[in-house]
Amino acid sequence: MGWLSNLLLPGRLRTGPTALLPARPDPKTLLAIAQLADPEARPAGDDVVAGGSRVQPPIELGPDLLAKLGVPGEEPLWACRIAADGPLPVDFFDKSLAEGIAYRLGGWSVCQGDPVDPAEEAGGDPVIYLPAVPEPEEVLPILAGLLHTDAVDTGRWPEGELVDGVVHVPVRRGRVADVYADDELVVTIEEGHRVPPVARARWPYLTEIAVAVVSPAGRTEETRPVAEATGGAADAEGAEDAEGVAAVAPGEEVPVVAGEEAARSEDPGDPDAVETGAETGEAEGGAASDDDAVAVARDALVRRAAVALEIAQRLQGIAADSRGFQLAEPADVLPGGYAGPTPT
């Protein structure tokens, strides 16, 4: 317990991975969240062991310690540090575990000195883990009831074929096997990924699996490497393959409402008119528009999760969020699902 001293504690937590939570989590809640990422997660004394990592019991941090971690605010937070249980976790699972716990409990995640609010991060593509790449004949009947387009976008999908209202692009290069799309969604199927803890319990005999990612079709940024969706950061091989994925399925762009300009008086010497206009623009345009953008993004994320769950059910796979936490229903993909009054 010597590492709990005020001298060593900030450095340990800053290095992380660490989940910083607004309320002391119940041990049963921590175990339930960890079991979403690793169904074989178990209590071990005061810790929870999941996927080769230990979730250590929460420690209360005051404003002074939080300031040393680079986390703003005056309210105390509860820190759960994630430590390797033996060899280092594969694919940075400990980092995704800390982020997933923070995401579900409305907190922050800290790793290598970088504090992050997971709920504010872009991304969030639901994934489906599959034992092998399914044949198009298996996938198309499923997607025909979920996706629909009237024509092939020859600019975006020059090699695409329209089958029952779904664009199918047989890529078959690098890791990417197939891409399926309509006007709103893109389902990218890749092969050759390491087995994350959430899938290892289902397929302990496999050494690699296929991963399907459900993404928005209207993206303009590069796609986040699918290797991150398997429970951590991409390795070197995954980073190279990500370039091929980006060429097929462009990256996500979180829905953003165009910025509103504050109303201004024609007389620039009238400070009251300028101030009133700015306040009106912020009150009537800014706040409402931000709320609308958040609602649109949440609805889109839930729809992608619903598609992932349907595909997983029909193909005997596992639907999970972007950090490898299993989904039971579409709303599970939203932040704060386990937040609420907890004992202190």
Side-chain angles (χ1 to χ4, degrees):
M1 298 294 289
W3 70 272
L4 292 176
S5 68
N6 288 336
L7 178 62
L8 297 180
L9 181 58
R12 292 276 185 141
L13 296 180
R14 186 184 303 112
T15 301
T18 300
L20 299 177
L21 310 172
R24 183 188 181 101
D26 181 85
K28 293 182 179 179
T29 300
L30 277 179
L31 177 60
I33 294 174
Q35 287 175 338
L36 296 177
D38 179 7
E40 296 181 345
R42 67 188 190 282
D46 293 333
D47 300 339
V48 173
V49 177
S53 300
R54 282 182 174 267
V55 183
Q56 297 179 344
I59 304 167
E60 188 175 14
L61 303 182
D64 292 342
L65 281 175
L66 290 174
K68 293 180 180 180
L69 297 179
V71 178
E74 297 297 324
E75 296 296 325
L77 296 176
W78 294 84
C80 289
R81 185 169 180 263
I82 314 298
D85 185 43
L88 290 176
V90 175
D91 286 338
F92 301 95
F93 175 76
D94 52 348
K95 180 176 183 291
S96 64
L97 184 61
E99 291 178 353
I101 291 172
Y103 187 78
R104 282 156 181 77
L105 291 173
W108 290 65
S109 172
V110 178
C111 186
Q112 298 298 321
D114 183 21
V116 171
D117 181 353
E120 294 183 356
E121 285 193 315
D125 289 341
V127 302
I128 307 101
Y129 300 119
L130 301 165
V133 173
E135 294 297 327
E137 292 77 12
E138 300 176 82
V139 180
L140 286 168
I142 299 172
L143 297 183
L146 301 173
L147 310 182
H148 181 75
T149 187
D150 293 329
V152 176
D153 186 341
T154 55
R156 181 182 292 272
W157 313 112
E159 300 178 2
E161 177 186 5
L162 187 62
V163 182
D164 294 332
V166 178
V167 177
H168 173 221
V169 185
V171 182
R172 308 293 173 176
R173 63 174 180 267
R175 280 190 178 178
V176 181
D178 292 282
V179 174
Y180 303 88
D182 69 357
D183 297 331
E184 297 181 1
L185 297 178
V186 176
V187 178
T188 305
I189 299 182
E190 294 196 351
E191 59 186 346
H193 285 278
R194 287 194 286 256
V195 184
V198 70
R200 191 176 300 125
R202 172 85 67 89
W203 304 302
Y205 50 87
L206 294 180
T207 58
E208 61 181 37
I209 60 173
V211 177
V213 185
V214 184
S215 311
R219 289 179 164 175
T220 58
E221 300 173 358
E222 287 189 354
T223 295
R224 174 181 52 80
V226 179
E228 292 185 15
T230 63
D235 54 19
E237 179 184 359
E240 293 175 359
D241 292 331
E243 296 178 1
V245 178
V248 176
E252 174 170 12
E253 184 177 47
V254 177
V256 176
V257 177
E260 293 79 12
E261 296 183 0
R264 295 181 179 273
S265 168
E266 293 182 1
D267 180 4
D270 183 358
D272 291 335
V274 173
E275 181 178 355
T276 302
E279 291 176 352
T280 302
E282 180 178 356
E284 296 181 0
S289 297
D290 288 346
D291 290 343
D292 290 345
V294 170
V296 169
R298 287 168 64 97
D299 289 345
L301 181 58
V302 170
R303 180 175 181 242
R304 298 202 300 274
V307 171
L309 281 162
E310 181 67 19
I311 295 172
Q313 181 180 4
R314 299 279 295 275
L315 292 178
Q316 304 299 309
I318 300 171
D321 68 5
S322 59
R323 296 179 179 89
F325 284 67
Q326 188 167 355
L327 305 175
E329 57 185 47
D332 290 344
V333 79
L334 295 175
Y338 281 74
T342 55
T344 59

mmCIF file of all heavy atoms in Angstrom, residues 103-141:
data_model
loop_
_atom_site.group_PDB
_atom_site.id
_atom_site.type_symbol
_atom_site.label_atom_id
_atom_site.label_comp_id
_atom_site.label_asym_id
_atom_site.label_seq_id
_atom_site.Cartn_x
_atom_site.Cartn_y
_atom_site.Cartn_z
ATOM 1 N N TYR A 103 -16.658 5.847 -19.222
ATOM 2 C CA TYR A 103 -17.755 6.157 -20.149
ATOM 3 C C TYR A 103 -19.101 5.784 -19.530
ATOM 4 O O TYR A 103 -20.081 6.521 -19.653
ATOM 5 C CB TYR A 103 -17.531 5.382 -21.443
ATOM 6 C CG TYR A 103 -18.489 5.710 -22.566
ATOM 7 C CD1 TYR A 103 -18.331 6.865 -23.322
ATOM 8 C CD2 TYR A 103 -19.535 4.852 -22.898
ATOM 9 C CE1 TYR A 103 -19.191 7.161 -24.372
ATOM 10 C CE2 TYR A 103 -20.397 5.136 -23.947
ATOM 11 C CZ TYR A 103 -20.226 6.288 -24.678
ATOM 12 O OH TYR A 103 -21.091 6.569 -25.704
ATOM 13 N N ARG A 104 -19.161 4.645 -18.866
ATOM 14 C CA ARG A 104 -20.428 4.170 -18.314
ATOM 15 C C ARG A 104 -20.789 4.801 -16.983
ATOM 16 O O ARG A 104 -21.949 4.761 -16.573
ATOM 17 C CB ARG A 104 -20.383 2.645 -18.176
ATOM 18 C CG ARG A 104 -20.609 1.962 -19.497
ATOM 19 C CD ARG A 104 -20.048 0.568 -19.581
ATOM 20 N NE ARG A 104 -20.330 0.061 -20.930
ATOM 21 C CZ ARG A 104 -19.645 0.430 -22.008
ATOM 22 N NH1 ARG A 104 -18.626 1.257 -21.892
ATOM 23 N NH2 ARG A 104 -19.976 -0.039 -23.195
ATOM 24 N N LEU A 105 -19.817 5.381 -16.305
ATOM 25 C CA LEU A 105 -20.074 5.991 -15.002
ATOM 26 C C LEU A 105 -19.947 7.504 -15.029
ATOM 27 O O LEU A 105 -19.910 8.147 -13.979
ATOM 28 C CB LEU A 105 -19.121 5.395 -13.958
ATOM 29 C CG LEU A 105 -19.387 3.928 -13.605
ATOM 30 C CD1 LEU A 105 -18.297 3.380 -12.695
ATOM 31 C CD2 LEU A 105 -20.747 3.764 -12.945
ATOM 32 N N GLY A 106 -19.882 8.081 -16.230
ATOM 33 C CA GLY A 106 -19.876 9.540 -16.351
ATOM 34 C C GLY A 106 -18.615 10.201 -15.851
ATOM 35 O O GLY A 106 -18.678 11.319 -15.317
ATOM 36 N N GLY A 107 -17.461 9.539 -16.022
ATOM 37 C CA GLY A 107 -16.224 10.089 -15.504
ATOM 38 C C GLY A 107 -15.197 10.392 -16.576
ATOM 39 O O GLY A 107 -15.515 10.543 -17.755
ATOM 40 N N TRP A 108 -13.942 10.507 -16.132
ATOM 41 C CA TRP A 108 -12.801 10.797 -16.986
ATOM 42 C C TRP A 108 -11.897 9.581 -17.052
ATOM 43 O O TRP A 108 -11.955 8.690 -16.208
ATOM 44 C CB TRP A 108 -11.990 11.969 -16.420
ATOM 45 C CG TRP A 108 -12.650 13.301 -16.493
ATOM 46 C CD1 TRP A 108 -13.787 13.687 -15.842
ATOM 47 C CD2 TRP A 108 -12.228 14.429 -17.242
ATOM 48 N NE1 TRP A 108 -14.090 14.986 -16.147
ATOM 49 C CE2 TRP A 108 -13.146 15.471 -17.001
ATOM 50 C CE3 TRP A 108 -11.149 14.671 -18.090
ATOM 51 C CZ2 TRP A 108 -13.021 16.732 -17.576
ATOM 52 C CZ3 TRP A 108 -11.019 15.915 -18.662
ATOM 53 C CH2 TRP A 108 -11.945 16.945 -18.405
ATOM 54 N N SER A 109 -11.033 9.566 -18.044
ATOM 55 C CA SER A 109 -9.995 8.563 -18.146
ATOM 56 C C SER A 109 -8.653 9.269 -18.301
ATOM 57 O O SER A 109 -8.549 10.258 -19.015
ATOM 58 C CB SER A 109 -10.247 7.648 -19.354
ATOM 59 O OG SER A 109 -9.155 6.784 -19.570
ATOM 60 N N VAL A 110 -7.635 8.757 -17.593
ATOM 61 C CA VAL A 110 -6.296 9.331 -17.680
ATOM 62 C C VAL A 110 -5.325 8.230 -18.065
ATOM 63 O O VAL A 110 -5.325 7.142 -17.479
ATOM 64 C CB VAL A 110 -5.852 9.957 -16.335
ATOM 65 C CG1 VAL A 110 -4.432 10.502 -16.446
ATOM 66 C CG2 VAL A 110 -6.800 11.065 -15.927
ATOM 67 N N CYS A 111 -4.506 8.488 -19.074
ATOM 68 C CA CYS A 111 -3.470 7.541 -19.480
ATOM 69 C C CYS A 111 -2.285 8.324 -20.029
ATOM 70 O O CYS A 111 -2.465 9.208 -20.871
ATOM 71 C CB CYS A 111 -3.997 6.564 -20.540
ATOM 72 S SG CYS A 111 -2.833 5.248 -20.958
ATOM 73 N N GLN A 112 -1.093 8.029 -19.525
ATOM 74 C CA GLN A 112 0.120 8.724 -19.951
ATOM 75 C C GLN A 112 -0.029 10.241 -19.822
ATOM 76 O O GLN A 112 0.391 11.000 -20.692
ATOM 77 C CB GLN A 112 0.476 8.339 -21.388
ATOM 78 C CG GLN A 112 0.768 6.867 -21.581
ATOM 79 C CD GLN A 112 1.966 6.397 -20.784
ATOM 80 O OE1 GLN A 112 2.959 7.104 -20.674
ATOM 81 N NE2 GLN A 112 1.880 5.202 -20.215
ATOM 82 N N GLY A 113 -0.666 10.678 -18.739
ATOM 83 C CA GLY A 113 -0.784 12.098 -18.463
ATOM 84 C C GLY A 113 -1.839 12.832 -19.260
ATOM 85 O O GLY A 113 -1.926 14.055 -19.181
ATOM 86 N N ASP A 114 -2.653 12.106 -20.024
ATOM 87 C CA ASP A 114 -3.649 12.745 -20.888
ATOM 88 C C ASP A 114 -5.050 12.487 -20.345
ATOM 89 O O ASP A 114 -5.583 11.388 -20.493
ATOM 90 C CB ASP A 114 -3.535 12.192 -22.307
ATOM 91 C CG ASP A 114 -4.488 12.872 -23.276
ATOM 92 O OD1 ASP A 114 -4.936 13.995 -22.968
ATOM 93 O OD2 ASP A 114 -4.786 12.285 -24.336
ATOM 94 N N PRO A 115 -5.683 13.488 -19.683
ATOM 95 C CA PRO A 115 -7.057 13.301 -19.194
ATOM 96 C C PRO A 115 -8.064 13.456 -20.330
ATOM 97 O O PRO A 115 -7.983 14.387 -21.122
ATOM 98 C CB PRO A 115 -7.220 14.408 -18.150
ATOM 99 C CG PRO A 115 -6.267 15.471 -18.570
ATOM 100 C CD PRO A 115 -5.131 14.787 -19.282
ATOM 101 N N VAL A 116 -9.006 12.532 -20.413
ATOM 102 C CA VAL A 116 -9.971 12.510 -21.506
ATOM 103 C C VAL A 116 -11.367 12.259 -20.931
ATOM 104 O O VAL A 116 -11.534 11.433 -20.026
ATOM 105 C CB VAL A 116 -9.617 11.406 -22.526
ATOM 106 C CG1 VAL A 116 -10.740 11.230 -23.546
ATOM 107 C CG2 VAL A 116 -8.316 11.723 -23.233
ATOM 108 N N ASP A 117 -12.346 12.984 -21.456
ATOM 109 C CA ASP A 117 -13.748 12.671 -21.170
ATOM 110 C C ASP A 117 -14.233 11.780 -22.305
ATOM 111 O O ASP A 117 -14.485 12.261 -23.405
ATOM 112 C CB ASP A 117 -14.588 13.954 -21.094
ATOM 113 C CG ASP A 117 -16.046 13.674 -20.767
ATOM 114 O OD1 ASP A 117 -16.431 12.488 -20.727
ATOM 115 O OD2 ASP A 117 -16.802 14.639 -20.560
ATOM 116 N N PRO A 118 -14.371 10.465 -22.079
ATOM 117 C CA PRO A 118 -14.731 9.562 -23.182
ATOM 118 C C PRO A 118 -16.051 9.918 -23.850
ATOM 119 O O PRO A 118 -16.233 9.649 -25.041
ATOM 120 C CB PRO A 118 -14.811 8.183 -22.499
ATOM 121 C CG PRO A 118 -13.988 8.318 -21.265
ATOM 122 C CD PRO A 118 -14.164 9.734 -20.824
ATOM 123 N N ALA A 119 -16.978 10.533 -23.111
ATOM 124 C CA ALA A 119 -18.281 10.868 -23.690
ATOM 125 C C ALA A 119 -18.175 11.979 -24.714
ATOM 126 O O ALA A 119 -19.072 12.142 -25.546
ATOM 127 C CB ALA A 119 -19.261 11.277 -22.584
ATOM 128 N N GLU A 120 -17.092 12.754 -24.697
ATOM 129 C CA GLU A 120 -16.939 13.869 -25.636
ATOM 130 C C GLU A 120 -16.084 13.496 -26.837
ATOM 131 O O GLU A 120 -15.933 14.299 -27.749
ATOM 132 C CB GLU A 120 -16.322 15.075 -24.928
ATOM 133 C CG GLU A 120 -17.229 15.683 -23.861
ATOM 134 C CD GLU A 120 -16.617 16.910 -23.224
ATOM 135 O OE1 GLU A 120 -15.461 17.232 -23.571
ATOM 136 O OE2 GLU A 120 -17.286 17.537 -22.392
ATOM 137 N N GLU A 121 -15.503 12.288 -26.839
ATOM 138 C CA GLU A 121 -14.648 11.888 -27.945
ATOM 139 C C GLU A 121 -15.470 11.539 -29.175
ATOM 140 O O GLU A 121 -16.555 10.978 -29.079
ATOM 141 C CB GLU A 121 -13.795 10.689 -27.556
ATOM 142 C CG GLU A 121 -12.644 11.038 -26.631
ATOM 143 C CD GLU A 121 -11.663 9.902 -26.536
ATOM 144 O OE1 GLU A 121 -12.109 8.751 -26.384
ATOM 145 O OE2 GLU A 121 -10.451 10.160 -26.621
ATOM 146 N N ALA A 122 -14.924 11.886 -30.349
ATOM 147 C CA ALA A 122 -15.560 11.468 -31.596
ATOM 148 C C ALA A 122 -15.382 9.964 -31.766
ATOM 149 O O ALA A 122 -14.544 9.340 -31.137
ATOM 150 C CB ALA A 122 -14.949 12.209 -32.773
ATOM 151 N N GLY A 123 -16.159 9.391 -32.613
ATOM 152 C CA GLY A 123 -16.039 7.951 -32.855
ATOM 153 C C GLY A 123 -17.266 7.231 -32.354
ATOM 154 O O GLY A 123 -18.375 7.744 -32.386
ATOM 155 N N GLY A 124 -17.084 6.062 -31.838
ATOM 156 C CA GLY A 124 -18.199 5.324 -31.290
ATOM 157 C C GLY A 124 -18.829 4.371 -32.270
ATOM 158 O O GLY A 124 -20.039 4.162 -32.218
ATOM 159 N N ASP A 125 -18.040 3.799 -33.179
ATOM 160 C CA ASP A 125 -18.605 2.843 -34.122
ATOM 161 C C ASP A 125 -18.864 1.506 -33.438
ATOM 162 O O ASP A 125 -17.920 0.875 -32.955
ATOM 163 C CB ASP A 125 -17.652 2.606 -35.300
ATOM 164 C CG ASP A 125 -17.587 3.802 -36.219
ATOM 165 O OD1 ASP A 125 -18.502 4.629 -36.163
ATOM 166 O OD2 ASP A 125 -16.617 3.898 -36.992
ATOM 167 N N PRO A 126 -20.101 1.045 -33.395
ATOM 168 C CA PRO A 126 -20.349 -0.303 -32.876
ATOM 169 C C PRO A 126 -19.679 -1.340 -33.772
ATOM 170 O O PRO A 126 -19.505 -1.127 -34.976
ATOM 171 C CB PRO A 126 -21.879 -0.428 -32.933
ATOM 172 C CG PRO A 126 -22.392 0.965 -33.013
ATOM 173 C CD PRO A 126 -21.339 1.736 -33.760
ATOM 174 N N VAL A 127 -19.291 -2.451 -33.174
ATOM 175 C CA VAL A 127 -18.622 -3.514 -33.916
ATOM 176 C C VAL A 127 -19.340 -4.835 -33.682
ATOM 177 O O VAL A 127 -20.101 -4.983 -32.728
ATOM 178 C CB VAL A 127 -17.137 -3.647 -33.502
ATOM 179 C CG1 VAL A 127 -16.395 -2.347 -33.716
ATOM 180 C CG2 VAL A 127 -17.020 -4.097 -32.049
ATOM 181 N N ILE A 128 -19.086 -5.775 -34.601
ATOM 182 C CA ILE A 128 -19.586 -7.139 -34.455
ATOM 183 C C ILE A 128 -18.398 -8.071 -34.593
ATOM 184 O O ILE A 128 -17.667 -8.013 -35.581
ATOM 185 C CB ILE A 128 -20.646 -7.492 -35.522
ATOM 186 C CG1 ILE A 128 -21.769 -6.463 -35.533
ATOM 187 C CG2 ILE A 128 -21.208 -8.895 -35.271
ATOM 188 C CD1 ILE A 128 -21.670 -5.455 -36.644
ATOM 189 N N TYR A 129 -18.178 -8.894 -33.583
ATOM 190 C CA TYR A 129 -17.127 -9.899 -33.641
ATOM 191 C C TYR A 129 -17.709 -11.184 -34.223
ATOM 192 O O TYR A 129 -18.766 -11.647 -33.784
ATOM 193 C CB TYR A 129 -16.559 -10.161 -32.247
ATOM 194 C CG TYR A 129 -15.946 -8.941 -31.605
ATOM 195 C CD1 TYR A 129 -16.439 -8.433 -30.411
ATOM 196 C CD2 TYR A 129 -14.879 -8.276 -32.206
ATOM 197 C CE1 TYR A 129 -15.877 -7.311 -29.824
ATOM 198 C CE2 TYR A 129 -14.318 -7.156 -31.626
ATOM 199 C CZ TYR A 129 -14.823 -6.680 -30.432
ATOM 200 O OH TYR A 129 -14.271 -5.555 -29.870
ATOM 201 N N LEU A 130 -17.007 -11.738 -35.207
ATOM 202 C CA LEU A 130 -17.466 -12.938 -35.904
ATOM 203 C C LEU A 130 -16.328 -13.948 -35.966
ATOM 204 O O LEU A 130 -15.158 -13.560 -36.114
ATOM 205 C CB LEU A 130 -17.928 -12.586 -37.323
ATOM 206 C CG LEU A 130 -19.067 -11.565 -37.424
ATOM 207 C CD1 LEU A 130 -19.176 -11.044 -38.850
ATOM 208 C CD2 LEU A 130 -20.378 -12.191 -36.978
ATOM 209 N N PRO A 131 -16.633 -15.242 -35.901
ATOM 210 C CA PRO A 131 -15.555 -16.239 -35.937
ATOM 211 C C PRO A 131 -14.826 -16.283 -37.271
ATOM 212 O O PRO A 131 -13.669 -16.694 -37.332
ATOM 213 C CB PRO A 131 -16.270 -17.555 -35.638
ATOM 214 C CG PRO A 131 -17.696 -17.305 -36.000
ATOM 215 C CD PRO A 131 -17.950 -15.868 -35.709
ATOM 216 N N ALA A 132 -15.490 -15.870 -38.340
ATOM 217 C CA ALA A 132 -14.877 -15.861 -39.672
ATOM 218 C C ALA A 132 -15.633 -14.861 -40.539
ATOM 219 O O ALA A 132 -16.748 -14.443 -40.210
ATOM 220 C CB ALA A 132 -14.926 -17.252 -40.303
ATOM 221 N N VAL A 133 -15.027 -14.471 -41.649
ATOM 222 C CA VAL A 133 -15.690 -13.552 -42.580
ATOM 223 C C VAL A 133 -16.885 -14.264 -43.212
ATOM 224 O O VAL A 133 -16.726 -15.315 -43.839
ATOM 225 C CB VAL A 133 -14.718 -13.088 -43.678
ATOM 226 C CG1 VAL A 133 -15.452 -12.263 -44.731
ATOM 227 C CG2 VAL A 133 -13.580 -12.276 -43.066
ATOM 228 N N PRO A 134 -18.098 -13.737 -43.062
ATOM 229 C CA PRO A 134 -19.266 -14.375 -43.671
ATOM 230 C C PRO A 134 -19.308 -14.136 -45.181
ATOM 231 O O PRO A 134 -18.801 -13.126 -45.683
ATOM 232 C CB PRO A 134 -20.439 -13.684 -42.975
ATOM 233 C CG PRO A 134 -19.913 -12.334 -42.609
ATOM 234 C CD PRO A 134 -18.457 -12.530 -42.297
ATOM 235 N N GLU A 135 -19.912 -15.063 -45.879
ATOM 236 C CA GLU A 135 -20.072 -14.910 -47.320
ATOM 237 C C GLU A 135 -21.137 -13.848 -47.618
ATOM 238 O O GLU A 135 -22.066 -13.655 -46.828
ATOM 239 C CB GLU A 135 -20.483 -16.241 -47.948
ATOM 240 C CG GLU A 135 -19.427 -17.318 -47.855
ATOM 241 C CD GLU A 135 -18.160 -16.960 -48.610
ATOM 242 O OE1 GLU A 135 -18.278 -16.274 -49.659
ATOM 243 O OE2 GLU A 135 -17.066 -17.332 -48.148
ATOM 244 N N PRO A 136 -21.009 -13.153 -48.756
ATOM 245 C CA PRO A 136 -22.030 -12.165 -49.117
ATOM 246 C C PRO A 136 -23.440 -12.742 -49.134
ATOM 247 O O PRO A 136 -24.403 -12.040 -48.803
ATOM 248 C CB PRO A 136 -21.587 -11.702 -50.509
ATOM 249 C CG PRO A 136 -20.114 -11.924 -50.526
ATOM 250 C CD PRO A 136 -19.885 -13.162 -49.710
ATOM 251 N N GLU A 137 -23.556 -14.013 -49.514
ATOM 252 C CA GLU A 137 -24.881 -14.649 -49.546
ATOM 253 C C GLU A 137 -25.512 -14.715 -48.157
ATOM 254 O O GLU A 137 -26.738 -14.782 -48.027
ATOM 255 C CB GLU A 137 -24.779 -16.057 -50.134
ATOM 256 C CG GLU A 137 -24.431 -16.101 -51.619
ATOM 257 C CD GLU A 137 -22.960 -15.825 -51.879
ATOM 258 O OE1 GLU A 137 -22.166 -15.828 -50.908
ATOM 259 O OE2 GLU A 137 -22.593 -15.594 -53.051
ATOM 260 N N GLU A 138 -24.680 -14.699 -47.099
ATOM 261 C CA GLU A 138 -25.199 -14.690 -45.737
ATOM 262 C C GLU A 138 -25.545 -13.278 -45.281
ATOM 263 O O GLU A 138 -26.531 -13.077 -44.557
ATOM 264 C CB GLU A 138 -24.159 -15.278 -44.773
ATOM 265 C CG GLU A 138 -23.729 -16.699 -45.037
ATOM 266 C CD GLU A 138 -22.643 -17.120 -44.080
ATOM 267 O OE1 GLU A 138 -22.987 -17.509 -42.942
ATOM 268 O OE2 GLU A 138 -21.450 -17.057 -44.449
ATOM 269 N N VAL A 139 -24.749 -12.312 -45.715
ATOM 270 C CA VAL A 139 -24.892 -10.959 -45.202
ATOM 271 C C VAL A 139 -25.988 -10.170 -45.918
ATOM 272 O O VAL A 139 -26.775 -9.449 -45.283
ATOM 273 C CB VAL A 139 -23.551 -10.207 -45.322
ATOM 274 C CG1 VAL A 139 -23.683 -8.778 -44.792
ATOM 275 C CG2 VAL A 139 -22.459 -10.946 -44.564
ATOM 276 N N LEU A 140 -26.058 -10.304 -47.231
ATOM 277 C CA LEU A 140 -26.983 -9.475 -48.004
ATOM 278 C C LEU A 140 -28.442 -9.631 -47.587
ATOM 279 O O LEU A 140 -29.157 -8.622 -47.474
ATOM 280 C CB LEU A 140 -26.807 -9.753 -49.499
ATOM 281 C CG LEU A 140 -25.536 -9.154 -50.110
ATOM 282 C CD1 LEU A 140 -25.289 -9.705 -51.508
ATOM 283 C CD2 LEU A 140 -25.647 -7.627 -50.153
ATOM 284 N N PRO A 141 -28.962 -10.843 -47.335
ATOM 285 C CA PRO A 141 -30.365 -10.941 -46.903
ATOM 286 C C PRO A 141 -30.621 -10.239 -45.573
ATOM 287 O O PRO A 141 -31.722 -9.723 -45.334
ATOM 288 C CB PRO A 141 -30.589 -12.457 -46.779
ATOM 289 C CG PRO A 141 -29.559 -13.072 -47.660
ATOM 290 C CD PRO A 141 -28.370 -12.178 -47.557
#
